[in-house]
Amino acid sequence: MTYTSILITGASSGIGEELAKTYAANGVHLTITGRNKDRLNHVADECRARGASVVSDILDVTDRRGIAEFMEDIDNAHQLDLVIANAGVSGGTGSSDGDVKTYELPEQCRYIFDVNLTGVLNTLEPIIPKMVKRGHGHVALMSSLAGYRGWPGAPSYSAAKGAIRLYGDALRSSLKPFGVNVTNICPGFVKSRMTDANSFSMPFLMDTDKAAKIIINGIQKNKRNICFPWQTTLIAKTIGILPPWVVYPLLERL
């Protein structure tokens, strides 16, 4: 399938930026959103240099009305056939520093849920009915391999990403009779501004351009779940099926 009108949220850096630049080509209309104006404008310029027609805007995915109005305008002008709900924030949380222990504060917890879960729903809500009516379209949801288990180091992040994974999995079967495809994207550690802030070891850290190619190839093949890299996928899925009495003593020590 050839996608000619694509919307990507969270495109001012990281995976979203690389997806936008990789999709950019002659005959493609890209709509990209992000939180940083300068970085987003830079991405838009690069995409135009590759031949794409680009609309970029600073957009808060937690603003349900704002994103609905924005997507309505975009879809009316350039009928969307692929929407990638990519915008998200990291789940860096509590740690121990000597005798001082910290934990995930309520404000941080709510913010992570607002962006990583509600933000995805806000992005998909306006476009799915239009795709259903047209009888075709594709939506991709940014989950994570962290969504296969509740990680004590990032409770809200793993919970939000787990909810997105399950929602996308069920949504795919629900929308299949209407001709609308749904894909979950479940990365491990990918080099980005988000992971640059991590102070812990990140096994099998993947370059962003390689991650984008894997995602685009998986969307093109209409995969249900795009999970990578394979080493982290194997670990995450194994931890996801082991009984709690085996898993949590290990995760709590980590």
Side-chain angles (χ1 to χ4, degrees):
M1 168 121 186
T2 301
Y3 302 104
T4 58
S5 182
I6 304 167
L7 183 145
I8 305 170
T9 63
S12 58
S13 64
I15 292 176
E17 174 184 357
E18 201 62 39
L19 286 172
K21 292 191 293 187
T22 307
Y23 270 121
N26 289 324
V28 173
H29 182 82
L30 277 175
T31 302
I32 57 174
T33 73
R35 293 179 294 170
N36 185 287
K37 183 177 181 180
D38 291 338
R39 291 202 305 267
L40 190 66
N41 287 340
H42 177 71
V43 175
D45 288 342
E46 285 202 42
C47 291
R48 292 188 184 103
R50 300 183 185 203
S53 169
V54 182
V55 169
S56 63
D57 202 357
I58 301 302
L59 193 67
D60 181 359
V61 294
T62 67
D63 179 5
R64 183 178 180 183
R65 174 178 288 184
I67 195 169
E69 293 174 351
F70 176 78
M71 293 186 70
E72 177 77 21
D73 292 342
I74 292 298
D75 192 69
N76 286 340
H78 301 277
Q79 193 175 97
L80 290 164
D81 46 32
L82 173 63
V83 171
I84 303 178
N86 167 73
V89 293
S90 67
T93 60
S95 61
S96 176
D97 181 14
D99 293 330
V100 180
K101 295 182 179 179
T102 62
Y103 60 94
E104 189 172 76
L105 298 175
E107 293 80 5
Q108 183 184 18
C109 173
R110 289 183 177 275
Y111 180 62
I112 290 171
F113 271 100
D114 283 345
V115 177
N116 292 357
L117 177 56
T118 307
V120 171
L121 300 181
N122 289 344
T123 304
L124 300 185
E125 185 179 65
I127 196 61
I128 286 177
K130 293 179 178 293
M131 290 182 171
V132 167
K133 186 175 181 179
R134 294 194 285 258
H136 63 87
H138 200 143
V139 296
L141 295 67
M142 185 58 70
S143 180
S144 168
L145 289 177
Y148 279 87
R149 195 87 201 198
W151 291 79
S156 299
Y157 184 82
S158 55
K161 293 300 187 179
I164 286 298
R165 183 178 66 84
L166 291 174
Y167 175 67
D169 194 50
L171 189 66
R172 179 180 173 96
S173 298
S174 177
L175 295 182
K176 184 178 180 180
F178 301 98
V180 179
N181 299 322
V182 180
T183 295
N184 278 326
I185 305 168
C186 301
F189 294 112
V190 176
K191 188 168 180 57
S192 66
R193 291 175 60 86
M194 189 181 296
T195 55
D196 285 346
N198 292 341
S199 59
F200 52 85
S201 175
M202 294 175 284
F204 311 111
L205 179 67
M206 181 178 286
D207 288 337
T208 316
D209 58 344
K210 184 176 181 180
K213 290 175 183 176
I214 291 172
I215 292 168
I216 289 173
N217 183 57
I219 290 175
Q220 185 65 33
K221 292 180 178 179
N222 189 26
K223 287 188 174 182
R224 178 181 290 268
N225 295 294
I226 304 170
C227 300
F228 62 91
W230 70 265
Q231 300 97 324
T232 316
T233 299
L234 179 61
I235 294 169
K237 290 187 176 182
T238 300
I239 289 175
I241 62 175
L242 289 174
W245 63 270
V246 173
V247 171
Y248 283 108
L250 172 62
L251 295 183
E252 288 163 7
R253 284 198 297 273
L254 290 175

PDB file of all heavy atoms in Angstrom, residues 121-135:
ATOM      1  N   LEU A 121      -5.494   8.315  22.365  1.00  0.00           N
ATOM      2  CA  LEU A 121      -6.942   8.247  22.132  1.00  0.00           C
ATOM      3  C   LEU A 121      -7.437   9.533  21.472  1.00  0.00           C
ATOM      4  O   LEU A 121      -8.267   9.485  20.551  1.00  0.00           O
ATOM      5  CB  LEU A 121      -7.676   8.021  23.453  1.00  0.00           C
ATOM      6  CG  LEU A 121      -7.321   6.744  24.229  1.00  0.00           C
ATOM      7  CD1 LEU A 121      -8.144   6.659  25.509  1.00  0.00           C
ATOM      8  CD2 LEU A 121      -7.539   5.502  23.378  1.00  0.00           C
ATOM      9  N   ASN A 122      -6.931  10.683  21.929  1.00  0.00           N
ATOM     10  CA  ASN A 122      -7.335  11.960  21.331  1.00  0.00           C
ATOM     11  C   ASN A 122      -6.935  12.042  19.858  1.00  0.00           C
ATOM     12  O   ASN A 122      -7.636  12.665  19.054  1.00  0.00           O
ATOM     13  CB  ASN A 122      -6.690  13.117  22.089  1.00  0.00           C
ATOM     14  CG  ASN A 122      -7.277  13.312  23.478  1.00  0.00           C
ATOM     15  OD1 ASN A 122      -8.346  12.801  23.784  1.00  0.00           O
ATOM     16  ND2 ASN A 122      -6.574  14.049  24.308  1.00  0.00           N
ATOM     17  N   THR A 123      -5.810  11.429  19.522  1.00  0.00           N
ATOM     18  CA  THR A 123      -5.330  11.452  18.141  1.00  0.00           C
ATOM     19  C   THR A 123      -6.170  10.561  17.239  1.00  0.00           C
ATOM     20  O   THR A 123      -6.460  10.916  16.086  1.00  0.00           O
ATOM     21  CB  THR A 123      -3.855  11.015  18.085  1.00  0.00           C
ATOM     22  OG1 THR A 123      -3.076  11.862  18.945  1.00  0.00           O
ATOM     23  CG2 THR A 123      -3.307  11.094  16.675  1.00  0.00           C
ATOM     24  N   LEU A 124      -6.566   9.411  17.753  1.00  0.00           N
ATOM     25  CA  LEU A 124      -7.306   8.453  16.924  1.00  0.00           C
ATOM     26  C   LEU A 124      -8.795   8.759  16.846  1.00  0.00           C
ATOM     27  O   LEU A 124      -9.441   8.457  15.828  1.00  0.00           O
ATOM     28  CB  LEU A 124      -7.109   7.034  17.472  1.00  0.00           C
ATOM     29  CG  LEU A 124      -5.675   6.508  17.533  1.00  0.00           C
ATOM     30  CD1 LEU A 124      -5.681   5.047  17.981  1.00  0.00           C
ATOM     31  CD2 LEU A 124      -4.983   6.643  16.184  1.00  0.00           C
ATOM     32  N   GLU A 125      -9.328   9.333  17.898  1.00  0.00           N
ATOM     33  CA  GLU A 125     -10.779   9.552  17.977  1.00  0.00           C
ATOM     34  C   GLU A 125     -11.354  10.308  16.787  1.00  0.00           C
ATOM     35  O   GLU A 125     -12.397   9.912  16.250  1.00  0.00           O
ATOM     36  CB  GLU A 125     -11.107  10.284  19.286  1.00  0.00           C
ATOM     37  CG  GLU A 125     -12.586  10.458  19.548  1.00  0.00           C
ATOM     38  CD  GLU A 125     -12.826  11.177  20.871  1.00  0.00           C
ATOM     39  OE1 GLU A 125     -12.442  12.351  20.992  1.00  0.00           O
ATOM     40  OE2 GLU A 125     -13.365  10.542  21.801  1.00  0.00           O
ATOM     41  N   PRO A 126     -10.721  11.385  16.303  1.00  0.00           N
ATOM     42  CA  PRO A 126     -11.324  12.124  15.196  1.00  0.00           C
ATOM     43  C   PRO A 126     -11.234  11.421  13.848  1.00  0.00           C
ATOM     44  O   PRO A 126     -12.070  11.654  12.972  1.00  0.00           O
ATOM     45  CB  PRO A 126     -10.506  13.438  15.159  1.00  0.00           C
ATOM     46  CG  PRO A 126      -9.745  13.479  16.437  1.00  0.00           C
ATOM     47  CD  PRO A 126      -9.520  12.071  16.825  1.00  0.00           C
ATOM     48  N   ILE A 127     -10.226  10.562  13.662  1.00  0.00           N
ATOM     49  CA  ILE A 127      -9.972  10.023  12.324  1.00  0.00           C
ATOM     50  C   ILE A 127     -10.594   8.651  12.077  1.00  0.00           C
ATOM     51  O   ILE A 127     -10.938   8.315  10.940  1.00  0.00           O
ATOM     52  CB  ILE A 127      -8.445   9.975  12.044  1.00  0.00           C
ATOM     53  CG1 ILE A 127      -8.179   9.791  10.553  1.00  0.00           C
ATOM     54  CG2 ILE A 127      -7.762   8.895  12.871  1.00  0.00           C
ATOM     55  CD1 ILE A 127      -8.712  10.899   9.671  1.00  0.00           C
ATOM     56  N   ILE A 128     -10.751   7.848  13.123  1.00  0.00           N
ATOM     57  CA  ILE A 128     -11.270   6.497  12.904  1.00  0.00           C
ATOM     58  C   ILE A 128     -12.655   6.507  12.263  1.00  0.00           C
ATOM     59  O   ILE A 128     -12.894   5.758  11.300  1.00  0.00           O
ATOM     60  CB  ILE A 128     -11.253   5.679  14.213  1.00  0.00           C
ATOM     61  CG1 ILE A 128      -9.807   5.282  14.550  1.00  0.00           C
ATOM     62  CG2 ILE A 128     -12.131   4.436  14.113  1.00  0.00           C
ATOM     63  CD1 ILE A 128      -9.651   4.526  15.852  1.00  0.00           C
ATOM     64  N   PRO A 129     -13.608   7.322  12.737  1.00  0.00           N
ATOM     65  CA  PRO A 129     -14.922   7.319  12.067  1.00  0.00           C
ATOM     66  C   PRO A 129     -14.839   7.691  10.586  1.00  0.00           C
ATOM     67  O   PRO A 129     -15.602   7.146   9.767  1.00  0.00           O
ATOM     68  CB  PRO A 129     -15.720   8.368  12.851  1.00  0.00           C
ATOM     69  CG  PRO A 129     -15.053   8.444  14.181  1.00  0.00           C
ATOM     70  CD  PRO A 129     -13.602   8.216  13.907  1.00  0.00           C
ATOM     71  N   LYS A 130     -13.939   8.578  10.235  1.00  0.00           N
ATOM     72  CA  LYS A 130     -13.779   8.972   8.832  1.00  0.00           C
ATOM     73  C   LYS A 130     -13.229   7.816   8.004  1.00  0.00           C
ATOM     74  O   LYS A 130     -13.687   7.558   6.886  1.00  0.00           O
ATOM     75  CB  LYS A 130     -12.857  10.190   8.732  1.00  0.00           C
ATOM     76  CG  LYS A 130     -13.443  11.459   9.344  1.00  0.00           C
ATOM     77  CD  LYS A 130     -12.466  12.614   9.223  1.00  0.00           C
ATOM     78  CE  LYS A 130     -13.055  13.893   9.795  1.00  0.00           C
ATOM     79  NZ  LYS A 130     -14.200  14.377   8.981  1.00  0.00           N
ATOM     80  N   MET A 131     -12.242   7.112   8.550  1.00  0.00           N
ATOM     81  CA  MET A 131     -11.679   5.963   7.844  1.00  0.00           C
ATOM     82  C   MET A 131     -12.709   4.846   7.701  1.00  0.00           C
ATOM     83  O   MET A 131     -12.791   4.186   6.661  1.00  0.00           O
ATOM     84  CB  MET A 131     -10.436   5.454   8.561  1.00  0.00           C
ATOM     85  CG  MET A 131      -9.242   6.388   8.467  1.00  0.00           C
ATOM     86  SD  MET A 131      -7.768   5.704   9.295  1.00  0.00           S
ATOM     87  CE  MET A 131      -6.514   6.880   8.790  1.00  0.00           C
ATOM     88  N   VAL A 132     -13.487   4.633   8.753  1.00  0.00           N
ATOM     89  CA  VAL A 132     -14.553   3.616   8.694  1.00  0.00           C
ATOM     90  C   VAL A 132     -15.548   3.962   7.597  1.00  0.00           C
ATOM     91  O   VAL A 132     -15.957   3.094   6.804  1.00  0.00           O
ATOM     92  CB  VAL A 132     -15.252   3.501  10.064  1.00  0.00           C
ATOM     93  CG1 VAL A 132     -16.547   2.713   9.935  1.00  0.00           C
ATOM     94  CG2 VAL A 132     -14.331   2.838  11.085  1.00  0.00           C
ATOM     95  N   LYS A 133     -15.923   5.216   7.530  1.00  0.00           N
ATOM     96  CA  LYS A 133     -16.882   5.653   6.506  1.00  0.00           C
ATOM     97  C   LYS A 133     -16.316   5.471   5.097  1.00  0.00           C
ATOM     98  O   LYS A 133     -17.032   5.078   4.171  1.00  0.00           O
ATOM     99  CB  LYS A 133     -17.260   7.112   6.737  1.00  0.00           C
ATOM    100  CG  LYS A 133     -18.365   7.618   5.824  1.00  0.00           C
ATOM    101  CD  LYS A 133     -18.764   9.043   6.188  1.00  0.00           C
ATOM    102  CE  LYS A 133     -19.895   9.536   5.275  1.00  0.00           C
ATOM    103  NZ  LYS A 133     -20.307  10.928   5.645  1.00  0.00           N
ATOM    104  N   ARG A 134     -15.010   5.727   4.948  1.00  0.00           N
ATOM    105  CA  ARG A 134     -14.375   5.582   3.642  1.00  0.00           C
ATOM    106  C   ARG A 134     -14.083   4.127   3.291  1.00  0.00           C
ATOM    107  O   ARG A 134     -13.872   3.783   2.130  1.00  0.00           O
ATOM    108  CB  ARG A 134     -13.071   6.391   3.608  1.00  0.00           C
ATOM    109  CG  ARG A 134     -13.285   7.890   3.712  1.00  0.00           C
ATOM    110  CD  ARG A 134     -12.042   8.668   3.339  1.00  0.00           C
ATOM    111  NE  ARG A 134     -10.998   8.663   4.338  1.00  0.00           N
ATOM    112  CZ  ARG A 134     -10.751   9.682   5.174  1.00  0.00           C
ATOM    113  NH1 ARG A 134     -11.517  10.768   5.143  1.00  0.00           N
ATOM    114  NH2 ARG A 134      -9.766   9.627   6.021  1.00  0.00           N
ATOM    115  N   GLY A 135     -13.993   3.281   4.325  1.00  0.00           N
ATOM    116  CA  GLY A 135     -13.719   1.866   4.094  1.00  0.00           C
ATOM    117  C   GLY A 135     -12.252   1.533   3.921  1.00  0.00           C
ATOM    118  O   GLY A 135     -11.895   0.447   3.465  1.00  0.00           O
TER     119      GLY A 135
END
